[in-house]
Amino acid sequence: MVSKKQRNLILLLLFIGWAIGNFDRYFINYAILSITEDLQLSPTSTGLILSSFFAGYALMQIPGGWLADKFGSRRVLIVSVLMWSIFTAMTGAVWSLTSMIIIRFLFGIGEGGFQPSSSKLISQTFPSSKRAWAMSIMLSTSGIVSLIVPVLSVYMLTTIGWRVSFLVLGAIGLIISVFYWIFIKLPEGIKEEEFKPVGANQESVFKQLIKTPLMLNLFIAYYSIYAINWGLATWLPTYLVNIRGLDLISLGWVQTIPGLAMVFAIFLSGYVIDRLPEGREKVIGAISCVLIGCILYLMFNAPNVTMFITYQTIVIMFISFIMLLLPAIILKRLPSSVIGTSMGVANTGGQLAGFITPLAIGFIVQMFNGSYDAAFWMLIIFAIICMVSLLTLNYRKGGLLQAEQ
């Protein structure tokens, strides 16, 4: 058994790792202004740089989870942090567009193994009743970082420049990887849950997972909720400026309100999910998806900016609940021996949504001559798809779950 003190230390280290990873990921969105000027890049080239990370990140989700299941969560965590730190530092030494795209792609590959391996580590060290809470602590870093990254990024860029900034962030990551090596230790007595794939050896776990209806539903749900999340995150600033008439300073201030709501909602969701009666989580999740769809409709029909931000704040809270509920289902319903691979399979859907949805919205807005109505309807449809995916979750159908039970 892992002691409470050791569990808390592991959770603290994972929290710091997720925070640094999120900051490294978001910092490029501000640094790209200086990078574009220094390297004399076109808008198309800038887009390639920003999307290259998501390409590598999405591609590594399933392999990263498989590696964590096969070689252990600790090893993959350390390698992941080490790899993304090296390529973060190398970003500060790029000399051309090609080198930047390759390095950011490899950065995505490095960070891609972190979420599935850290999720597996949670399943190994926390009891089932505490896993959603532990996951909520880690996911809260996204909301926290989104609050501090604008101010801190501008300060770093104006004082030490983008090249030195990436070198500093890479050095911090290397220090974190050393901490992981020293302090993340699993007692010798701890082992994976007793689990043997039905009629197959360990190498066929992936094939069994993708044939399990539960994983298909989770993949679709992940894609749908992250399509809504990334669709709003990437296009709302442009929408609020161009359609609602906000200036950039006002935009920055009003968007702190949904950011704070996201942090609060993640912590609250972790508490609630761990206390839901067995089987009720998918019903509560489906109801939340219905509410997301309804509030999205109210958002784009809001009569003024105040009401729009109010609806946005509410919808972000429900989105945060679903984004925590989905990994909690994996952590609670599947044996820890396949948590890494399972999380990788499901999260691939979310990362594909992050890559595809912003492009789709841009195409839709252009096709409808600057109108965002069709884009909002697309997000509402994704809320309905997510609802159906959750309602049709079947925990007992499929070889993996039969094997566990």
Side-chain angles (χ1 to χ4, degrees), residues 57 60-61 63-65 68 76-77 80 108-118:
Y57 193 73
M60 192 57 188
Q61 290 301 300
V76 176
L77 273 174
S80 180
I109 291 288
E111 191 168 331
F114 188 83
Q115 180 166 346
S117 57
S118 59

Side-chain angles (χ1 to χ4, degrees), residues 165-178:
S165 294
F166 279 113
L167 290 173
V168 170
L169 292 173
I172 293 173
L174 291 175
I175 294 172
I176 297 300
S177 66
V178 173

Side-chain angles (χ1 to χ4, degrees), residues 28 32 35 39 41 49 52 91-92 94-105 162 166:
I28 188 70
I32 195 66
I35 294 171
L39 299 182
L41 302 177
I49 292 173
S52 58
T91 304
V94 297
W95 59 92
S96 65
L97 172 63
T98 301
S99 65
M100 175 66 86
I101 292 174
I102 292 173
I103 287 172
R104 297 306 295 177
F105 175 80
W162 67 273
F166 279 113

Side-chain angles (χ1 to χ4, degrees), residues 193-270:
E193 296 177 25
E194 293 298 331
F195 171 76
K196 300 294 182 183
V198 176
N201 54 32
Q202 185 66 26
E203 281 68 26
S204 67
V205 168
F206 174 71
K207 291 182 179 180
Q208 288 200 38
L209 277 173
I210 61 176
K211 291 179 181 179
T212 303
L214 174 64
M215 289 308 303
L216 177 60
N217 282 48
L218 288 172
F219 182 92
I220 294 172
Y222 257 83
Y223 187 98
S224 300
I225 198 64
Y226 275 90
I228 299 171
N229 180 67
W230 284 112
L232 293 176
T234 54
W235 280 98
L236 270 190
T238 302
Y239 172 84
L240 288 171
V241 170
N242 293 342
I243 304 300
R244 296 286 179 165
L246 286 182
D247 59 78
L248 289 177
I249 296 177
S250 300
L251 173 67
W253 280 108
V254 299
Q255 285 305 293
T256 62
I257 300 173
L260 288 170
M262 179 180 182
V263 176
F264 171 76
I266 288 175
F267 283 121
L268 179 62
S269 298

